[in-house]
Structure formats: structure tokens, C-alpha cells
Amino acid sequence: GEDEATRFRQAQLNFLQGGSLGGGGAILLEINKPTIAAVNGAAVGYGCDLTLMCDMRIASDRARFGEVFLRVGLIPDEAHVLLPRLVGLAKAYELILTTDIIDASEAYRIGLVNKVVPHEQLMPATMELATKIANKPPISVRLAKEGIHRGLKMPLDEFRQWHASAFTFCQATEDHKEGAKAFVEKREPRFQGR
């Protein structure tokens, strides 16, 4: 009814003034822990956008990717920003404007996915990557992810200031001490997230 239309218009105005529309998968862009998409089939339209919002993507050899919004008279969401960063401007134009659907090997070739594995190995390969990251110091992982995000949108001088603070913060963690000690002792570190 009228209340719903009013709320929608207010949400639009809020967004146009710099706020967030909320909803959808955009939360993936804000999570402070690494995200990995395991793609086992067709990731087209918003499904493709969701995979782009993850930090890393592993595809089964059966996966397909496509920005098909123009086929129904719409435009992509986050792909406008994320796709050119991953595959370059010319390829992003091609994928968005032609609405072509590409297979996993092409997605790997152009840098859209990190790895392609046989279908039955998709979840083991994804869990292997997740475990490898999970075994790193949690505070440093979160700050490394934040550093990548900031590095994409901050001027270099501003980034250097942020990095100096983040680096100093990491140096003061117990995990840094444990990592240095484990390196000297030639053993695997046991990080605690402190």
C-alpha cells in the first residue's frame, strides 16, 4: 500500500544521500573476515554479482558465469564496480554488454576465479583454502583484508598512515610474538587471535 511505497521512496532518498539500501548480498562487501565463493553451477545475473562480492572464488569445472541483466532490460548491481577490477575494463564491458555466459576455464583465464577444480573436489578445495587462511593470525588477516579494501579507494599518502597504525597494532599482538618465535624455532605457529 501507500506505507510501503513511502518507505521505498525514503530508502531511495537515503541511498541517494550516501546511505545504504541494505538487503541483498552487499553485506559480503562489509564482512571483516575473508569470504570464498564455491561455485558449482550457473552463477548468472545476481548470482554472478554475489560471487564477485566474495574475496576469492573457486569454481567447479561445471561452473558458468554471466552478467545477463541487459537481456531483461536491467543493469548489473555491484558488477559495475567489481568486475573491471577483476578482469579489466575491456573484458568487463564485453561481459556486461554482450551478456555472454562463460565457462569456468574462461573465468579462470580472465582472472574472475582463483581456481577451477573437478566438480567433486569443489568443497574439499574450498575448505583447504579456508583452512589455510584460518590458520593465520586472525587479527592480521582481518587487517590485511581491510588494507586491500582501503588500498583500492584511498590516496597513497592516506593509506600509508593507515598502514603504519595497522602494522604497529599487529606488532603489539601476542600472535606476532608467537609467529616470530615459531619462525626462529622452525615450527608451525599456534595463533590465538590476541
Side-chain angles (χ1 to χ4, degrees):
E2 187 176 322
D3 289 338
E4 187 176 320
T6 302
R7 281 193 302 273
F8 178 74
R9 293 288 294 160
Q10 186 58 44
Q12 282 184 316
L13 179 59
N14 179 52
F15 171 74
L16 293 171
Q17 294 173 332
S20 171
L21 282 176
I27 188 71
L28 288 168
L29 297 171
E30 300 168 14
I31 294 173
N32 69 353
K33 294 185 171 115
T35 55
I36 305 169
V39 185
N40 67 357
V44 297
Y46 200 67
C48 188
D49 282 9
L50 284 171
T51 66
L52 297 176
M53 287 184 251
C54 291
D55 302 316
M56 293 159 278
R57 288 153 295 285
I58 297 182
S60 98
D61 53 10
R62 298 181 190 172
R64 296 176 300 136
F65 300 85
E67 288 293 337
V68 297
F69 290 94
L70 270 64
R71 292 183 186 187
V72 294
L74 296 174
I75 59 173
D77 293 288
E78 287 80 0
H80 280 117
V81 175
L82 301 172
L83 197 57
R85 292 177 179 178
L86 293 171
V87 303
L89 193 56
K91 200 60 166 174
Y93 274 124
E94 180 184 338
L95 291 171
I96 290 171
L97 298 178
T98 66
T99 70
D100 287 348
I101 295 175
I102 60 173
D103 64 17
S105 62
E106 176 67 0
Y108 177 75
R109 188 188 73 74
I110 65 174
L112 186 64
V113 299
N114 298 71
K115 182 188 290 191
V116 178
V117 298
H119 186 72
E120 58 280 352
Q121 293 176 17
L122 178 62
M123 290 315 295
T126 304
M127 292 308 297
E128 180 182 347
L129 178 59
T131 300
K132 190 174 190 177
I133 295 166
N135 287 332
K136 302 294 185 269
I139 294 169
S140 297
V141 167
R142 287 196 305 270
L143 288 175
K145 177 176 173 166
E146 181 65 22
I148 292 169
H149 281 259
R150 287 177 181 253
L152 288 171
K153 54 187 173 184
M154 278 184 166
L156 185 56
D157 288 341
E158 191 177 330
F159 176 79
R160 285 182 178 150
Q161 291 173 359
W162 177 86
H163 177 267
S165 295
F167 191 87
T168 301
F169 188 88
C170 289
Q171 279 183 311
T173 64
E174 291 179 30
D175 282 347
H176 168 62
K177 292 175 186 80
E178 166 60 15
K181 184 177 177 183
F183 179 79
V184 169
E185 295 174 359
K186 297 181 180 4
R187 64 172 173 80
E188 289 296 315
R190 293 179 295 276
F191 296 120
Q192 303 296 314
R194 297 189 289 248

